[in-house]
Amino acid sequence: GAIAMERLINALMRLSADRRRLRAKLFGGSSMLSGMTDVGLRNTEFAITYLQRESIPCDAHSTGGPRARQIRFQPSTGKVKLRFVAEVPEIRPVIAPRQNGVELF
């Protein structure tokens, strides 16, 4: 995450962004897979910690919970439209097919 964020910030600065004027909005981090590691929570915690460490203010956030979100972001105005997705197909881990011990190349 840290490398991706640094690349993003550096790319913005190459496009003439002023690091002191950067602001953030956080969305996502849902727990979509029951019984699995809560990756959404870990990603959210990372993002919040990163923004605090880099002194980038967070203007809005909607994170966590069991529901998927759909957002529409308008960079020219900074406005975000958020809606929770009514139904998401159940996501199940992929089970590897049973192998017979023969490996083909």
Side-chain angles (χ1 to χ4, degrees):
I3 293 171
M5 291 301 295
E6 288 300 325
R7 287 183 179 173
L8 173 62
I9 291 171
N10 288 337
L12 290 170
M13 291 172 59
R14 280 192 299 276
L15 295 170
S16 302
D18 182 349
R19 187 179 179 97
R20 297 169 299 191
R21 296 184 62 211
L22 294 179
R23 306 190 73 76
K25 295 182 180 187
L26 295 176
F27 300 93
S30 297
S31 298
M32 302 299 292
L33 297 173
S34 61
M36 304 292 282
T37 303
D38 195 345
V39 175
L41 176 63
R42 290 175 45 202
N43 287 343
T44 299
E45 289 172 346
F46 164 78
I48 291 168
T49 301
Y50 184 88
L51 293 173
Q52 289 172 344
R53 186 177 62 238
E54 298 296 321
S55 300
I56 299 173
C58 182
D59 292 342
H61 63 88
S62 173
T63 60
R67 297 170 56 198
R69 295 166 178 80
Q70 181 181 53
I71 63 165
R72 293 186 186 224
F73 177 61
Q74 296 187 342
S76 60
T77 63
K79 291 185 180 182
V80 175
K81 289 186 180 182
L82 163 76
R83 77 174 185 92
F84 286 97
V85 177
E87 287 190 34
V88 177
E90 183 179 342
I91 301 171
R92 298 182 196 161
V94 175
I95 299 172
R98 198 164 181 217
Q99 308 244 342
N100 62 7
V102 176
E103 187 174 334
L104 301 175
F105 298 96

